Amino acid sequence: MPRERATPAATGKPLSAPQKALQKLGLVRDIDLALHLPLRYEDETRIVKLADAREGDSVQIEGEVTACEVAYRPRRQLLVTVNDGSDSCVLRFFNFYPSQQKALAVGARIRARGELRGGFLGWTMMHPHTRVAGGELPTALTPVYPTVAGLPQPYLRKAVIGGLRHAELADTLPPEVAATLQLKPLWTLKQALEFLHHPTPDVSLAQLEDHSHPAWQRLKAEELLAQQLSQLQARREREHLRAPQLHARGAGSLHERLLAALPFQLTGAQRRVCEEIAQDLTQAKPMHRLLQGDVGSGKTVVAALSAAICIDAGWQCALMAPTEILAEQHFRKLITWLEPLGVRVAWLTGSQKKKERSAMLELIARGAAGLVVGTHAVIQEQVQFKNLALAIIDEQHRFGVAQRLALRSKTNGEDLEPHMLMMTATPIPRTLAMSYYADLDVSTIDELPPGRSPIVTKVVSEQRRAEVIERIRGQLEQGRQVYWVCPLIEESEALDLTNATETHAELSAALPGVMVGLLHSRMPVAEKKAVMERFVSGQMGVLVSTTVIEVGVDVPNATLMVIEHAERFGLSQLHQLRGRVGRGAAASACVLLYSTGDAPRLGEVARARLKAMAETNDGFEIARRDLELRGPGEFLGARQSGAALLRFADLATDSHLLAWARAAAPVMLDRHPAQAERHVARWLGSRTDYLKA
Ligand code: ADP
Ligand code: MG
């Protein structure tokens, strides 16, 4: 069996430019090189007669040079005419060396490879590859690899060949598992890779290009299997961890008293997810559950009821939200629900005064605070819990893996892990959930509280801005409130601000006697709070805001949302924003104001987004279309999800392979654990830690 070679990086010697480029591409181990697959191929296996060729073909010709001259028309260029017996072709070079000119002298027999163009003067090729004629033709297609500047194809090709030769490529799929793949021919991994790097010319190029060839299928299946294996492993490891068992739902319990005190009845969906969570909390292993529910579906009360179980059992619960305003909104709601029932709720945030903060830290460390609500401040080192048993993360996708891990590792004195509940309003389409979140249990609130009237969404051109302002006036006259959101332009905070301040001035002038507020990302926290308070209390009629995130508030009296430059927002973002209205019984509307700028019309994708918004209010449908428009990489955000993104497999077309991998993973782990381990190491290398968070 070949041994892994010491890579250049490991020898400690300084790296050459192409070696550095290899490293930049992540091509470090032999296996990485072996798994670096061609983008496309060039056919050098055949010589084509010019008489048989068509314009646009990439071909290789062989013939005799009949003319070679340097011309100035207008740039200096070398023009070489080659005749292959059937026709002739002019090779045109703008940059050339004297040595090249010599090799292409009249009478020389050469081979040239490039794209054929027809023209007034007959066939031409721009900058073809040339070499001396004769010599054996290769028997395989020539691979063209994805590369970066400073890493020429010939160097990369050689490196890949070396990787292929030295990589340890013994199959990790035991025959019983490989057989279930039903691929014909059923090659080994090594055969599949050798084929993909150097396919024989009789192959269907279409099958190679759309990755439906069995060799590609084999690779994609292996990749998906690695992903499923590592997640299954993580799940099983977690099953060995221990967590406090929390059963506190009987008569007279905090949970029951909170239910009785709520001003509303839970929806069926809320009751179901509460039951799922409560069941997990009774287990001696930590819960790892994602609660997904559309904006406004009522996730907070589910969090509160779960916290109640935990606190009643004598343990602490922490709730972390991504922004101060969101966290504070939770804090207020949770205090009104829980403090009358005798629960101390602590508050932690970055902007807190030192004195208040130490008082809070002390309450938490002593265990006097049953519930701790806050921002990232909750996971800071100084925060010591007495006995944390449940960690709840709102809008989990806004947190990185490290932050989720930090919360999980907050000690609780007894070497027990806390239960984790992650909440999100961005539902994850089923195929993605199966693939990237396979180790999570998922609960879904698929029903909105009763009495909400559906939001009517209108897509309106910027040219009708005046009508929109009229509409705002109408809402205000009925005692309603209005949000006006301006886009967040990340590259230019100055521009971002101009847009919002101008709109603020415009609306203030157009609506005399109405309090119009402004909220933007650069404002000090205290000022933001003051503005929010006035809007929440109803004094302020219109809130102009750029801080998309911090509009995450609950003001049921707000019935109209205008989104300016809606074409610049992502689909999920638009949907989240829209969810801020339609929270009461009154009819609500969302106006998507778009501008085409200098263009005659909106771009295709922007149009598709706005259309989707107008057509549906269903968060799952929105998520599905968003995935379609953006692809999983962007949808998940590699950093946030921490999931190793798939390189080869495409969840949209490879769901059958995903299904196979899901079934194969437990078989591998149970019956072939050594192979499973090798498989994961081969495919995921050092990335596996990430998958465990
Ligand atoms: P989200 O899931 O977006 O976090 P919230 O928890 O903020 O939603 O709930 C939205 C609003 O609906 C809040 O005002 C909340 O009190 C209210 N609510 C939650 N559940 C119900 C219910 N079952 N019946 C009526 N109102 C509810
Ligand atoms: Mg919420």
Side-chain angles (χ1 to χ4, degrees), residues 262-268 270 291-302 326 329-330 333 337 394-395 423-425 445 448-452 552-556 579-580 583:
L262 287 175
F264 49 74
Q265 296 265 308
L266 293 188
T267 62
Q270 283 170 321
L291 172 61
Q292 52 179 6
D294 213 340
V295 261
S297 62
K299 294 183 290 295
T300 317
V301 69
V302 173
L326 262 182
Q329 185 196 325
H330 282 313
K333 198 149 234 177
W337 284 341
D394 194 20
E395 301 297 337
M423 307 202 288
T424 183
I445 308 184
L448 291 179
R452 304 239 174 114
V553 290
D554 189 28
V555 181
R580 301 301 143 202
R583 298 198 153 216

mmCIF file of all heavy atoms in Angstrom, residues 262-268 270 291-302 326 329-330 333 337 394-395 423-425 445 448-452 552-556 579-580 583, ligand 1:
data_model
loop_
_atom_site.group_PDB
_atom_site.id
_atom_site.type_symbol
_atom_site.label_atom_id
_atom_site.label_comp_id
_atom_site.label_asym_id
_atom_site.label_seq_id
_atom_site.Cartn_x
_atom_site.Cartn_y
_atom_site.Cartn_z
ATOM 1 N N LEU A 262 -51.189 32.691 30.951
ATOM 2 C CA LEU A 262 -51.024 33.295 29.624
ATOM 3 C C LEU A 262 -52.336 33.908 29.146
ATOM 4 O O LEU A 262 -53.403 33.358 29.390
ATOM 5 C CB LEU A 262 -50.581 32.230 28.602
ATOM 6 C CG LEU A 262 -49.153 31.731 28.698
ATOM 7 C CD1 LEU A 262 -48.926 30.597 27.693
ATOM 8 C CD2 LEU A 262 -48.163 32.866 28.449
ATOM 9 N N PRO A 263 -52.246 35.035 28.439
ATOM 10 C CA PRO A 263 -53.468 35.682 27.963
ATOM 11 C C PRO A 263 -54.059 34.999 26.731
ATOM 12 O O PRO A 263 -54.995 35.518 26.153
ATOM 13 C CB PRO A 263 -53.000 37.102 27.623
ATOM 14 C CG PRO A 263 -51.556 36.954 27.295
ATOM 15 C CD PRO A 263 -51.045 35.829 28.134
ATOM 16 N N PHE A 264 -53.496 33.888 26.316
ATOM 17 C CA PHE A 264 -54.039 33.189 25.141
ATOM 18 C C PHE A 264 -53.883 31.687 25.329
ATOM 19 O O PHE A 264 -53.208 31.226 26.243
ATOM 20 C CB PHE A 264 -53.332 33.649 23.859
ATOM 21 C CG PHE A 264 -51.819 33.644 23.961
ATOM 22 C CD1 PHE A 264 -51.104 32.452 23.938
ATOM 23 C CD2 PHE A 264 -51.106 34.847 24.102
ATOM 24 C CE1 PHE A 264 -49.727 32.445 24.044
ATOM 25 C CE2 PHE A 264 -49.724 34.846 24.205
ATOM 26 C CZ PHE A 264 -49.033 33.650 24.187
ATOM 27 N N GLN A 265 -54.552 30.939 24.458
ATOM 28 C CA GLN A 265 -54.413 29.484 24.425
ATOM 29 C C GLN A 265 -53.303 29.135 23.444
ATOM 30 O O GLN A 265 -53.203 29.769 22.394
ATOM 31 C CB GLN A 265 -55.702 28.877 23.867
ATOM 32 C CG GLN A 265 -56.924 29.106 24.699
ATOM 33 C CD GLN A 265 -57.150 27.928 25.618
ATOM 34 O OE1 GLN A 265 -57.179 26.780 25.178
ATOM 35 N NE2 GLN A 265 -57.268 28.199 26.905
ATOM 36 N N LEU A 266 -52.536 28.110 23.757
ATOM 37 C CA LEU A 266 -51.515 27.680 22.795
ATOM 38 C C LEU A 266 -52.195 27.126 21.538
ATOM 39 O O LEU A 266 -53.281 26.551 21.619
ATOM 40 C CB LEU A 266 -50.648 26.574 23.394
ATOM 41 C CG LEU A 266 -49.754 26.931 24.565
ATOM 42 C CD1 LEU A 266 -48.830 25.751 24.871
ATOM 43 C CD2 LEU A 266 -48.924 28.179 24.283
ATOM 44 N N THR A 267 -51.549 27.300 20.425
ATOM 45 C CA THR A 267 -52.054 26.645 19.210
ATOM 46 C C THR A 267 -51.711 25.159 19.293
ATOM 47 O O THR A 267 -50.866 24.748 20.102
ATOM 48 C CB THR A 267 -51.385 27.212 17.943
ATOM 49 O OG1 THR A 267 -49.970 26.938 18.019
ATOM 50 C CG2 THR A 267 -51.605 28.695 17.806
ATOM 51 N N GLY A 268 -52.367 24.369 18.435
ATOM 52 C CA GLY A 268 -52.089 22.935 18.410
ATOM 53 C C GLY A 268 -50.606 22.682 18.145
ATOM 54 O O GLY A 268 -49.977 21.822 18.767
ATOM 55 N N GLN A 270 -48.055 24.659 18.757
ATOM 56 C CA GLN A 270 -47.243 25.010 19.934
ATOM 57 C C GLN A 270 -47.322 23.898 20.981
ATOM 58 O O GLN A 270 -46.315 23.538 21.581
ATOM 59 C CB GLN A 270 -47.724 26.335 20.539
ATOM 60 C CG GLN A 270 -47.267 27.563 19.758
ATOM 61 C CD GLN A 270 -47.942 28.837 20.236
ATOM 62 O OE1 GLN A 270 -49.133 28.837 20.550
ATOM 63 N NE2 GLN A 270 -47.191 29.919 20.292
ATOM 64 N N LEU A 291 -35.937 24.347 16.869
ATOM 65 C CA LEU A 291 -37.353 24.708 16.805
ATOM 66 C C LEU A 291 -37.520 25.696 15.670
ATOM 67 O O LEU A 291 -37.015 26.814 15.729
ATOM 68 C CB LEU A 291 -37.786 25.345 18.131
ATOM 69 C CG LEU A 291 -39.193 25.956 18.148
ATOM 70 C CD1 LEU A 291 -40.256 24.900 17.868
ATOM 71 C CD2 LEU A 291 -39.461 26.630 19.491
ATOM 72 N N GLN A 292 -38.192 25.274 14.610
ATOM 73 C CA GLN A 292 -38.400 26.220 13.519
ATOM 74 C C GLN A 292 -39.860 26.601 13.424
ATOM 75 O O GLN A 292 -40.748 25.779 13.592
ATOM 76 C CB GLN A 292 -37.848 25.697 12.195
ATOM 77 C CG GLN A 292 -38.296 24.327 11.797
ATOM 78 C CD GLN A 292 -37.718 23.915 10.448
ATOM 79 O OE1 GLN A 292 -36.902 24.615 9.871
ATOM 80 N NE2 GLN A 292 -38.142 22.780 9.943
ATOM 81 N N GLY A 293 -40.089 27.862 13.203
ATOM 82 C CA GLY A 293 -41.453 28.360 13.094
ATOM 83 C C GLY A 293 -41.389 29.706 12.446
ATOM 84 O O GLY A 293 -40.505 30.505 12.743
ATOM 85 N N ASP A 294 -42.315 29.939 11.570
ATOM 86 C CA ASP A 294 -42.327 31.182 10.806
ATOM 87 C C ASP A 294 -42.348 32.380 11.760
ATOM 88 O O ASP A 294 -42.721 32.241 12.926
ATOM 89 C CB ASP A 294 -43.584 31.179 9.936
ATOM 90 C CG ASP A 294 -43.345 31.881 8.620
ATOM 91 O OD1 ASP A 294 -42.382 32.662 8.546
ATOM 92 O OD2 ASP A 294 -44.119 31.638 7.686
ATOM 93 N N VAL A 295 -41.967 33.536 11.241
ATOM 94 C CA VAL A 295 -42.043 34.750 12.053
ATOM 95 C C VAL A 295 -43.464 34.910 12.577
ATOM 96 O O VAL A 295 -44.424 34.741 11.832
ATOM 97 C CB VAL A 295 -41.689 36.026 11.248
ATOM 98 C CG1 VAL A 295 -40.280 36.437 11.502
ATOM 99 C CG2 VAL A 295 -41.953 35.834 9.775
ATOM 100 N N GLY A 296 -43.573 35.201 13.860
ATOM 101 C CA GLY A 296 -44.890 35.426 14.448
ATOM 102 C C GLY A 296 -45.624 34.159 14.834
ATOM 103 O O GLY A 296 -46.760 34.201 15.293
ATOM 104 N N SER A 297 -44.966 33.003 14.687
ATOM 105 C CA SER A 297 -45.667 31.755 15.001
ATOM 106 C C SER A 297 -45.691 31.486 16.507
ATOM 107 O O SER A 297 -46.362 30.581 16.963
ATOM 108 C CB SER A 297 -45.011 30.586 14.263
ATOM 109 O OG SER A 297 -43.679 30.426 14.688
ATOM 110 N N GLY A 298 -44.967 32.276 17.276
ATOM 111 C CA GLY A 298 -45.030 32.138 18.723
ATOM 112 C C GLY A 298 -43.999 31.194 19.305
ATOM 113 O O GLY A 298 -44.316 30.288 20.078
ATOM 114 N N LYS A 299 -42.744 31.428 18.988
ATOM 115 C CA LYS A 299 -41.681 30.582 19.524
ATOM 116 C C LYS A 299 -41.308 30.994 20.951
ATOM 117 O O LYS A 299 -40.893 30.164 21.751
ATOM 118 C CB LYS A 299 -40.430 30.646 18.630
ATOM 119 C CG LYS A 299 -40.671 30.047 17.254
ATOM 120 C CD LYS A 299 -39.417 30.051 16.399
ATOM 121 C CE LYS A 299 -38.993 31.418 15.947
ATOM 122 N NZ LYS A 299 -39.933 32.089 15.046
ATOM 123 N N THR A 300 -41.469 32.297 21.263
ATOM 124 C CA THR A 300 -41.018 32.777 22.565
ATOM 125 C C THR A 300 -41.740 32.072 23.709
ATOM 126 O O THR A 300 -41.128 31.709 24.718
ATOM 127 C CB THR A 300 -41.241 34.300 22.677
ATOM 128 O OG1 THR A 300 -40.850 34.899 21.451
ATOM 129 C CG2 THR A 300 -40.444 34.887 23.806
ATOM 130 N N VAL A 301 -43.023 31.875 23.553
ATOM 131 C CA VAL A 301 -43.772 31.260 24.649
ATOM 132 C C VAL A 301 -43.357 29.795 24.815
ATOM 133 O O VAL A 301 -43.330 29.263 25.925
ATOM 134 C CB VAL A 301 -45.302 31.432 24.451
ATOM 135 C CG1 VAL A 301 -45.815 30.625 23.290
ATOM 136 C CG2 VAL A 301 -46.032 31.069 25.733
ATOM 137 N N VAL A 302 -42.979 29.177 23.718
ATOM 138 C CA VAL A 302 -42.478 27.796 23.802
ATOM 139 C C VAL A 302 -41.166 27.785 24.595
ATOM 140 O O VAL A 302 -40.949 26.923 25.460
ATOM 141 C CB VAL A 302 -42.268 27.201 22.390
ATOM 142 C CG1 VAL A 302 -41.600 25.839 22.471
ATOM 143 C CG2 VAL A 302 -43.592 27.123 21.648
ATOM 144 N N LEU A 326 -33.472 42.618 20.363
ATOM 145 C CA LEU A 326 -34.193 41.342 20.420
ATOM 146 C C LEU A 326 -34.122 40.743 21.806
ATOM 147 O O LEU A 326 -35.122 40.270 22.353
ATOM 148 C CB LEU A 326 -33.570 40.343 19.434
ATOM 149 C CG LEU A 326 -34.235 40.197 18.087
ATOM 150 C CD1 LEU A 326 -33.499 39.138 17.274
ATOM 151 C CD2 LEU A 326 -35.693 39.795 18.264
ATOM 152 N N GLN A 329 -36.309 42.566 24.159
ATOM 153 C CA GLN A 329 -37.716 42.263 23.959
ATOM 154 C C GLN A 329 -38.086 40.934 24.628
ATOM 155 O O GLN A 329 -39.120 40.810 25.273
ATOM 156 C CB GLN A 329 -37.960 42.196 22.459
ATOM 157 C CG GLN A 329 -39.407 42.011 22.104
ATOM 158 C CD GLN A 329 -39.522 41.571 20.666
ATOM 159 O OE1 GLN A 329 -38.733 41.989 19.825
ATOM 160 N NE2 GLN A 329 -40.479 40.725 20.396
ATOM 161 N N HIS A 330 -37.212 39.958 24.496
ATOM 162 C CA HIS A 330 -37.448 38.682 25.186
ATOM 163 C C HIS A 330 -37.479 38.891 26.689
ATOM 164 O O HIS A 330 -38.321 38.352 27.390
ATOM 165 C CB HIS A 330 -36.313 37.697 24.883
ATOM 166 C CG HIS A 330 -36.422 37.073 23.533
ATOM 167 N ND1 HIS A 330 -37.574 36.546 23.043
ATOM 168 C CD2 HIS A 330 -35.497 36.877 22.575
ATOM 169 C CE1 HIS A 330 -37.361 36.060 21.830
ATOM 170 N NE2 HIS A 330 -36.100 36.252 21.526
ATOM 171 N N LYS A 333 -40.728 40.411 27.909
ATOM 172 C CA LYS A 333 -41.843 39.474 27.837
ATOM 173 C C LYS A 333 -41.706 38.407 28.917
ATOM 174 O O LYS A 333 -42.666 38.081 29.605
ATOM 175 C CB LYS A 333 -41.859 38.825 26.460
ATOM 176 C CG LYS A 333 -43.179 38.199 26.136
ATOM 177 C CD LYS A 333 -43.466 38.255 24.653
ATOM 178 C CE LYS A 333 -44.807 38.911 24.394
ATOM 179 N NZ LYS A 333 -45.086 39.054 22.960
ATOM 180 N N TRP A 337 -44.154 37.449 32.174
ATOM 181 C CA TRP A 337 -44.735 36.126 32.343
ATOM 182 C C TRP A 337 -44.259 35.432 33.615
ATOM 183 O O TRP A 337 -45.028 34.790 34.312
ATOM 184 C CB TRP A 337 -44.387 35.231 31.135
ATOM 185 C CG TRP A 337 -45.190 35.545 29.901
ATOM 186 C CD1 TRP A 337 -46.373 36.221 29.842
ATOM 187 C CD2 TRP A 337 -44.859 35.190 28.560
ATOM 188 N NE1 TRP A 337 -46.797 36.316 28.547
ATOM 189 C CE2 TRP A 337 -45.902 35.695 27.730
ATOM 190 C CE3 TRP A 337 -43.804 34.500 27.964
ATOM 191 C CZ2 TRP A 337 -45.910 35.520 26.347
ATOM 192 C CZ3 TRP A 337 -43.813 34.327 26.589
ATOM 193 C CH2 TRP A 337 -44.852 34.832 25.788
ATOM 194 N N ASP A 394 -31.868 31.981 20.300
ATOM 195 C CA ASP A 394 -32.835 32.482 19.330
ATOM 196 C C ASP A 394 -32.097 32.875 18.059
ATOM 197 O O ASP A 394 -30.962 33.329 18.121
ATOM 198 C CB ASP A 394 -33.573 33.691 19.913
ATOM 199 C CG ASP A 394 -34.821 34.045 19.098
ATOM 200 O OD1 ASP A 394 -35.308 33.168 18.353
ATOM 201 O OD2 ASP A 394 -35.308 35.184 19.211
ATOM 202 N N GLU A 395 -32.735 32.709 16.921
ATOM 203 C CA GLU A 395 -32.131 33.035 15.629
ATOM 204 C C GLU A 395 -30.750 32.389 15.545
ATOM 205 O O GLU A 395 -29.747 33.058 15.309
ATOM 206 C CB GLU A 395 -32.031 34.550 15.435
ATOM 207 C CG GLU A 395 -33.350 35.278 15.483
ATOM 208 C CD GLU A 395 -34.311 34.864 14.364
ATOM 209 O OE1 GLU A 395 -33.849 34.356 13.331
ATOM 210 O OE2 GLU A 395 -35.522 35.030 14.548
ATOM 211 N N MET A 423 -33.549 28.080 18.084
ATOM 212 C CA MET A 423 -34.779 28.528 17.435
ATOM 213 C C MET A 423 -34.438 29.278 16.150
ATOM 214 O O MET A 423 -33.445 29.996 16.087
ATOM 215 C CB MET A 423 -35.552 29.445 18.368
ATOM 216 C CG MET A 423 -35.789 28.821 19.739
ATOM 217 S SD MET A 423 -37.172 29.538 20.624
ATOM 218 C CE MET A 423 -36.515 31.133 21.065
ATOM 219 N N THR A 424 -35.271 29.110 15.157
ATOM 220 C CA THR A 424 -35.046 29.854 13.914
ATOM 221 C C THR A 424 -36.362 30.155 13.225
ATOM 222 O O THR A 424 -37.299 29.369 13.288
ATOM 223 C CB THR A 424 -34.125 29.086 12.948
ATOM 224 O OG1 THR A 424 -33.908 29.896 11.801
ATOM 225 C CG2 THR A 424 -34.718 27.774 12.500
ATOM 226 N N ALA A 425 -36.389 31.306 12.587
ATOM 227 C CA ALA A 425 -37.567 31.665 11.800
ATOM 228 C C ALA A 425 -37.293 31.439 10.325
ATOM 229 O O ALA A 425 -38.126 31.715 9.489
ATOM 230 C CB ALA A 425 -37.947 33.122 12.035
ATOM 231 N N ILE A 445 -43.239 24.562 14.202
ATOM 232 C CA ILE A 445 -44.546 25.193 14.436
ATOM 233 C C ILE A 445 -45.083 25.577 13.070
ATOM 234 O O ILE A 445 -44.560 26.475 12.420
ATOM 235 C CB ILE A 445 -44.420 26.462 15.312
ATOM 236 C CG1 ILE A 445 -43.657 26.165 16.592
ATOM 237 C CG2 ILE A 445 -45.794 27.019 15.626
ATOM 238 C CD1 ILE A 445 -43.570 27.354 17.549
ATOM 239 N N LEU A 448 -50.048 29.467 12.558
ATOM 240 C CA LEU A 448 -49.956 30.767 13.217
ATOM 241 C C LEU A 448 -51.065 30.873 14.258
ATOM 242 O O LEU A 448 -52.098 30.219 14.135
ATOM 243 C CB LEU A 448 -50.120 31.895 12.194
ATOM 244 C CG LEU A 448 -48.983 32.086 11.190
ATOM 245 C CD1 LEU A 448 -49.303 33.227 10.240
ATOM 246 C CD2 LEU A 448 -47.655 32.351 11.898
ATOM 247 N N PRO A 449 -50.861 31.693 15.295
ATOM 248 C CA PRO A 449 -51.945 31.904 16.255
ATOM 249 C C PRO A 449 -53.195 32.395 15.525
ATOM 250 O O PRO A 449 -53.083 33.053 14.490
ATOM 251 C CB PRO A 449 -51.394 32.987 17.184
ATOM 252 C CG PRO A 449 -49.921 32.863 17.094
ATOM 253 C CD PRO A 449 -49.637 32.409 15.697
ATOM 254 N N PRO A 450 -54.366 32.050 16.056
ATOM 255 C CA PRO A 450 -55.602 32.391 15.354
ATOM 256 C C PRO A 450 -55.835 33.893 15.334
ATOM 257 O O PRO A 450 -55.223 34.639 16.094
ATOM 258 C CB PRO A 450 -56.676 31.692 16.183
ATOM 259 C CG PRO A 450 -56.075 31.538 17.537
ATOM 260 C CD PRO A 450 -54.614 31.371 17.331
ATOM 261 N N GLY A 451 -56.717 34.324 14.440
ATOM 262 C CA GLY A 451 -57.140 35.719 14.426
ATOM 263 C C GLY A 451 -56.196 36.641 13.697
ATOM 264 O O GLY A 451 -56.368 37.845 13.726
ATOM 265 N N ARG A 452 -55.176 36.091 13.046
ATOM 266 C CA ARG A 452 -54.302 36.972 12.271
ATOM 267 C C ARG A 452 -54.850 37.037 10.855
ATOM 268 O O ARG A 452 -55.137 36.005 10.267
ATOM 269 C CB ARG A 452 -52.889 36.387 12.205
ATOM 270 C CG ARG A 452 -52.314 36.139 13.568
ATOM 271 C CD ARG A 452 -51.043 36.911 13.746
ATOM 272 N NE ARG A 452 -50.572 36.765 15.116
ATOM 273 C CZ ARG A 452 -49.446 36.140 15.440
ATOM 274 N NH1 ARG A 452 -48.705 35.634 14.491
ATOM 275 N NH2 ARG A 452 -49.084 36.062 16.693
ATOM 276 N N GLY A 552 -36.605 43.354 14.633
ATOM 277 C CA GLY A 552 -37.153 42.111 15.164
ATOM 278 C C GLY A 552 -37.991 42.328 16.408
ATOM 279 O O GLY A 552 -37.747 41.731 17.442
ATOM 280 N N VAL A 553 -38.986 43.191 16.298
ATOM 281 C CA VAL A 553 -39.773 43.527 17.472
ATOM 282 C C VAL A 553 -41.229 43.177 17.250
ATOM 283 O O VAL A 553 -41.650 42.889 16.144
ATOM 284 C CB VAL A 553 -39.645 45.022 17.797
ATOM 285 C CG1 VAL A 553 -38.271 45.334 18.306
ATOM 286 C CG2 VAL A 553 -39.989 45.848 16.595
ATOM 287 N N ASP A 554 -41.973 43.242 18.311
ATOM 288 C CA ASP A 554 -43.347 42.781 18.293
ATOM 289 C C ASP A 554 -44.275 43.946 18.627
ATOM 290 O O ASP A 554 -44.460 44.274 19.791
ATOM 291 C CB ASP A 554 -43.455 41.658 19.341
ATOM 292 C CG ASP A 554 -44.789 40.962 19.260
ATOM 293 O OD1 ASP A 554 -45.373 40.943 18.165
ATOM 294 O OD2 ASP A 554 -45.254 40.465 20.300
ATOM 295 N N VAL A 555 -44.816 44.601 17.614
ATOM 296 C CA VAL A 555 -45.755 45.707 17.840
ATOM 297 C C VAL A 555 -47.028 45.415 17.056
ATOM 298 O O VAL A 555 -47.131 45.745 15.873
ATOM 299 C CB VAL A 555 -45.143 47.065 17.392
ATOM 300 C CG1 VAL A 555 -46.112 48.214 17.650
ATOM 301 C CG2 VAL A 555 -43.821 47.311 18.088
ATOM 302 N N PRO A 556 -47.994 44.760 17.700
ATOM 303 C CA PRO A 556 -49.184 44.311 16.966
ATOM 304 C C PRO A 556 -49.973 45.442 16.315
ATOM 305 O O PRO A 556 -50.715 45.208 15.369
ATOM 306 C CB PRO A 556 -50.030 43.617 18.045
ATOM 307 C CG PRO A 556 -49.065 43.270 19.127
ATOM 308 C CD PRO A 556 -47.993 44.310 19.103
ATOM 309 N N GLY A 579 -42.795 39.800 8.358
ATOM 310 C CA GLY A 579 -43.390 39.181 9.533
ATOM 311 C C GLY A 579 -43.569 40.137 10.707
ATOM 312 O O GLY A 579 -44.164 39.785 11.716
ATOM 313 N N ARG A 580 -43.018 41.340 10.612
ATOM 314 C CA ARG A 580 -43.198 42.316 11.694
ATOM 315 C C ARG A 580 -44.567 42.929 11.667
ATOM 316 O O ARG A 580 -44.989 43.547 12.634
ATOM 317 C CB ARG A 580 -42.153 43.441 11.603
ATOM 318 C CG ARG A 580 -40.737 42.963 11.679
ATOM 319 C CD ARG A 580 -40.484 42.234 12.956
ATOM 320 N NE ARG A 580 -39.585 41.115 12.706
ATOM 321 C CZ ARG A 580 -39.491 40.056 13.480
ATOM 322 N NH1 ARG A 580 -40.239 39.939 14.545
ATOM 323 N NH2 ARG A 580 -38.655 39.092 13.190
ATOM 324 N N ARG A 583 -49.420 41.096 13.027
ATOM 325 C CA ARG A 583 -49.329 40.437 14.325
ATOM 326 C C ARG A 583 -50.580 40.649 15.153
ATOM 327 O O ARG A 583 -50.688 40.111 16.255
ATOM 328 C CB ARG A 583 -48.114 40.957 15.077
ATOM 329 C CG ARG A 583 -46.863 40.635 14.314
ATOM 330 C CD ARG A 583 -45.645 40.731 15.175
ATOM 331 N NE ARG A 583 -44.667 39.833 14.608
ATOM 332 C CZ ARG A 583 -43.814 39.117 15.309
ATOM 333 N NH1 ARG A 583 -43.792 39.216 16.613
ATOM 334 N NH2 ARG A 583 -42.979 38.314 14.711
HETATM 335 P P1 ADP B 1 -41.782 34.415 16.845
HETATM 336 O O1 ADP B 1 -42.050 32.975 16.592
HETATM 337 O O2 ADP B 1 -41.623 35.185 15.581
HETATM 338 O O3 ADP B 1 -40.649 34.631 17.811
HETATM 339 P P2 ADP B 1 -43.321 35.552 18.958
HETATM 340 O O4 ADP B 1 -42.987 34.538 19.979
HETATM 341 O O5 ADP B 1 -42.700 36.875 19.067
HETATM 342 O O6 ADP B 1 -43.115 34.978 17.511
HETATM 343 O O7 ADP B 1 -44.910 35.686 18.956
HETATM 344 C C1 ADP B 1 -45.580 36.617 18.155
HETATM 345 C C2 ADP B 1 -46.783 37.184 18.877
HETATM 346 O O8 ADP B 1 -47.818 36.204 18.989
HETATM 347 C C3 ADP B 1 -46.476 37.619 20.303
HETATM 348 O O9 ADP B 1 -47.174 38.807 20.539
HETATM 349 C C4 ADP B 1 -47.003 36.480 21.138
HETATM 350 O O10 ADP B 1 -47.322 36.877 22.434
HETATM 351 C C5 ADP B 1 -48.235 36.081 20.345
HETATM 352 N N1 ADP B 1 -48.663 34.693 20.530
HETATM 353 C C6 ADP B 1 -47.864 33.612 20.668
HETATM 354 N N2 ADP B 1 -48.598 32.490 20.761
HETATM 355 C C7 ADP B 1 -49.883 32.859 20.657
HETATM 356 C C8 ADP B 1 -51.132 32.138 20.681
HETATM 357 N N3 ADP B 1 -51.173 30.826 20.806
HETATM 358 N N4 ADP B 1 -52.255 32.850 20.546
HETATM 359 C C9 ADP B 1 -52.220 34.191 20.393
HETATM 360 N N5 ADP B 1 -51.087 34.919 20.378
HETATM 361 C C10 ADP B 1 -49.931 34.265 20.503
#
